[in-house]
Each structure stands twice: as C-alpha cells, then as structure tokens.
Amino acid sequence: MPVRVVQVDAFTNRPFAGNPAAVCVLQEPRPDQWRRDAAREMNLSETAFLTPQDGGYHLRWLTPAVEVDLCGHATVASAHVLWQDGHLPEGRQARFHTRSGLLLADRRGEWIELDFPAKLAVAAEAPPELLHALGLAKAEFVGRNAFDYLVEVDSEETLRKLTPDHTALRKVPVRGVIVTSRPATAEFDFVSRFFAPGSGVDEDPVTGSAHTALGPYWGAKLGKSEFTAYQASA
C-alpha cells in the first residue's frame, strides 16, 4: 500500500523558507526500522510519524540519524497536515501523545499555537571541547537542560559569524547546542542558532524545541513573557 508523506515548510509564511519537515499519518503503527529508513530517505531535519491514539495521535520525531524527545517545527507541521488533509476538523484541537507528554496545538486565526513544556537551562560548566568546537574564546553564559547546552555570546555579529567544527561538536554528549545573543536591531527580542551534528543535523534552520529553553532564559533576563525571536541560519 502506498504511504502518503507531506513536506511542510514550518515557521514561515512563504515557500522555501522556515524549516521543512516531513509528516506521515499512518492508520496503524509501522516497525521502527521502517520509520528509521523512511526518515533517512526523506533526509530532512525531522520526519514526524503519527498514528491515532486516545482521541488524538501518537507522535514520534526522527532525524535521519536518531529519534528525538521533542521537536517544535515537525509538531507545527503535523497539526497543519491534520487540519489541511481532513484528518481533523479545522476547529478541533490537535492532541499529540509523545515522549515529552501530551502536546497541544490550536488554530488561532492564521497562526498555530503550541502548548509545550518549558525546558529550563541551568548554569553549567562548559566542557573544554564545547567552546573550542564553536570557535569561541569565551561565552557570556553557558547552561544545560535535559536536551541541550545553551550558550549566550556577546553579539548578533558573533552569533552569525560562527562556523562550528561539527566533527568536534559531535563529540559533546548532548542532543544539540543552542547559541543565542541579544539582537542587533529592535525588530527582535533575541536571536539564536542551533547545532546538532550528534543528532544528524549539523545546523537546524528553525528549532521550536530550543525555544522551550530560550523563552524562559530571555524571559528572566528581559522581564517579559512575549517575544519575537529570530533564528539566524542560512
């Protein structure tokens, strides 16, 4: 039987921008090896696999190399496909059963609103290979949460000029590394980039799950709870 796979450009309002994810809605589970093979063949930062469960959908996210515990852009893409392809009526909430618990998505006009758990990064000593792999002599802050290291640098210029050694970064035992800074202009509240070569993605274009750490981090620093953020990948 043919299997329909939909590619969605998430976190953007125009084609060929944002972060592409593949979404595969299955009526019954497929073997793990089949999922791994499909994700590797799609060769996107994430492929989302959904099967009906408990009034919602069981959702798993796979990179071409590994399965991950939380992914924002492929969840946005999954909700979009459920409504767009008629799996759910447009007004009904999308409910996802995942490794990170129950995640919710709602339509808010032309927007999709996600309810995700905060993943607070606490101050941590940077392993020597971390800053070296990023090409940094120092950092303003280094923290770690359940998934990633969070590194603040001194400026957006520094952030944009980073050319990490992905081979070295792959040896850091985390899912990925979030690098962030204050913005160069008032258009945004903060900017970031996300590197995850150890998870099969050298640089991810837009990373929703990274913002579960970035939101609380900048919220504490800026004293606010609503942000416009920019991820400065190519």
Side-chain angles (χ1 to χ4, degrees), residues 134-145:
L134 291 171
L136 293 171
K138 64 182 181 69
E140 303 295 303
F141 172 85
V142 176
R144 184 171 178 175
N145 66 9

Side-chain angles (χ1 to χ4, degrees), residues 135-165:
L136 293 171
K138 64 182 181 69
E140 303 295 303
F141 172 85
V142 176
R144 184 171 178 175
N145 66 9
F147 300 144
D148 308 310
Y149 276 106
L150 173 64
V151 179
E152 184 187 350
V153 295
D154 59 0
S155 69
E156 182 175 335
E157 181 182 13
T158 298
L159 175 84
R160 287 179 177 271
K161 286 184 175 179
L162 290 178
T163 55
D165 179 342

